[in-house]
Amino acid sequence: MKKLILGLFMTVLPTLALAAGPAVSLDSVDADHTNKASLQRGAATYMNYCAGCHSMEYARYNRIAADLEIPEDLFLENLIFTGAKIGELIEIGMDKKQAEAWFGSAPPDLTLVSRVRGEDWLYSYLRAFYKDDSRPLGVNNAVFENVGMPHVMVAEQGLCAVPPRIGTAPNVDPLSGNVRNVDICDSWAIEGSMEPAEFNSAMYDLTNFLSYMGDPIKVERERLGILVLIFVAIFFIFAYLLNREYWKDVH
Ligand code: HEC
């Protein structure tokens, strides 16, 4: 009996750990894989700003081109900077050992990062860099403490002098309907080229793209799911009629 209780306790224990949730509060976003324009913009940002360090070695360029409806010649010309062929996996030239020496840890592959971290975490993390002179690269991150990654979008977002406000609920002005806390930074050390709202929207697109990468068949799966349910519903009618026919003479 004691063993049984102990066993039960141990099976319940891990769910408690999950229920505790993340330690930092996050901004939330809804990924939308049907929004092709957003995914295209996200892919462009990724290839320009992230693909130098982060591979996506479980995905091929031409799969993205097909899913996002980008013509292959345009993709090849504007989004592949490594000389790779359109059918190749998205790999990087950086040596892992050297990267570790530069950043403290090698940049991880990002194909499935949205499945591990979740969209809210990514969206928050990408906007949470701030100035911290005690760190080797002069920046820290409010969502990922002491991160080894530099703030690669500093020219666009700017550099916040204090930890930005991540995870505060949207504050809508009741009179004008404007969202007041679009700008999550109270004091900027460096001004960026983008307005806060513009940068948030660019990071939403990038998050959306990473989310699509982690589950590229989501839209198709959901479409098929509905067809299957319709089939089951129609099939049920015939199954029911057949069943009635068989049992008719028994009673
Ligand atoms: C100069 C190289 C470099 C560039 C460019 C870069 N990163 Fe990173 N990134 C890193 C390194 C290094 C880490 C590992 C940090 C650590 O573990 O401390 C990292 C970590 C991450 C993580 C956390 C992964 C995890 O689960 O631990 C995410 C997400 C990420 N990067 C996204 C991006 C995105 C999106 C871009 C493009 C806007 C980008 N990175 C551009 C170097 C880079």
Side-chain angles (χ1 to χ4, degrees), residues 45-46 49-50 52-54 94 103 105-108 110 113 117 121-122 125-126 144 146-150 152-153 206 210:
T45 308
Y46 188 85
Y49 292 93
C50 319
C53 290
H54 292 283
M94 195 183 282
F103 306 114
S105 54
L110 292 188
V113 72
R117 297 288 197 176
W121 189 93
L122 287 171
Y125 166 74
L126 291 170
F144 189 151
N146 296 341
V147 72
M149 176 168 140
V152 295
M153 305 215 57
L206 183 55
L210 290 172

Side-chain angles (χ1 to χ4, degrees), residues 65-124:
D67 284 351
L68 270 48
E69 293 164 11
I70 305 173
E72 286 197 356
D73 51 333
L74 282 184
F75 197 102
L76 202 56
E77 233 170 79
N78 298 300
L79 293 178
I80 301 183
F81 306 108
T82 56
K85 297 203 181 68
I86 188 91
E88 280 181 45
L89 295 168
I90 307 174
E91 287 166 336
I92 53 166
M94 195 183 282
D95 181 68
K96 276 228 151 91
K97 282 252 156 53
Q98 265 183 338
E100 251 176 60
W102 294 333
F103 306 114
S105 54
D109 186 273
L110 292 188
T111 326
L112 295 171
V113 72
S114 65
R115 302 292 282 261
V116 182
R117 297 288 197 176
E119 285 83 9
D120 293 352
W121 189 93
L122 287 171
Y123 178 67
S124 305

Side-chain angles (χ1 to χ4, degrees), residues 10-225:
M10 284 174 79
T11 44
V12 171
L13 213 59
T15 55
L16 290 181
L18 269 183
V24 283
S25 49
L26 301 171
D27 289 335
S28 58
V29 284
D30 286 324
D32 177 5
H33 297 189
T34 59
N35 187 347
K36 292 273 153 77
S38 158
L39 292 179
Q40 288 174 356
R41 288 192 298 266
T45 308
Y46 188 85
M47 293 306 167
N48 278 288
Y49 292 93
C50 319
C53 290
H54 292 283
S55 60
M56 282 196 166
E57 57 189 21
Y58 306 106
R60 290 178 194 280
Y61 294 105
N62 57 355
R63 171 69 197 265
I64 298 179
D67 284 351
L68 270 48
E69 293 164 11
I70 305 173
E72 286 197 356
D73 51 333
L74 282 184
F75 197 102
L76 202 56
E77 233 170 79
N78 298 300
L79 293 178
I80 301 183
F81 306 108
T82 56
K85 297 203 181 68
I86 188 91
E88 280 181 45
L89 295 168
I90 307 174
E91 287 166 336
I92 53 166
M94 195 183 282
D95 181 68
K96 276 228 151 91
K97 282 252 156 53
Q98 265 183 338
E100 251 176 60
W102 294 333
F103 306 114
S105 54
D109 186 273
L110 292 188
T111 326
L112 295 171
V113 72
S114 65
R115 302 292 282 261
V116 182
R117 297 288 197 176
E119 285 83 9
D120 293 352
W121 189 93
L122 287 171
Y123 178 67
S124 305
Y125 166 74
L126 291 170
R127 290 152 55 252
F129 286 93
Y130 66 92
K131 186 173 157 69
D132 179 355
D133 290 327
S134 69
R135 298 291 305 151
L137 299 172
V139 292
N140 209 328
N141 190 292
V143 172
F144 189 151
E145 214 184 311
N146 296 341
V147 72
M149 176 168 140
H151 184 12
V152 295
M153 305 215 57
V154 64
E156 288 73 20
Q157 184 187 23
L159 185 62
C160 195
V162 290
R165 280 173 282 107
I166 299 284
T168 43
N171 175 345
V172 182
D173 184 43
L175 288 180
S176 64
N178 291 337
V179 183
R180 274 193 291 228
N181 52 353
V182 179
D183 185 356
I184 52 173
C185 178
D186 290 325
S187 141
W188 292 98
I190 302 174
E191 291 277 327
S193 64
M194 285 184 178
E195 290 295 316
E198 204 184 336
F199 186 74
N200 288 346
S201 135
M203 290 307 101
Y204 169 78
D205 293 338
L206 183 55
T207 305
N208 204 15
F209 172 69
L210 290 172
S211 166
Y212 146 77
M213 230 37 267
D215 192 0
I217 202 155
K218 187 174 179 209
V219 176
E220 178 65 7
R221 191 180 61 232
E222 287 173 357
R223 196 184 65 87
L224 267 182

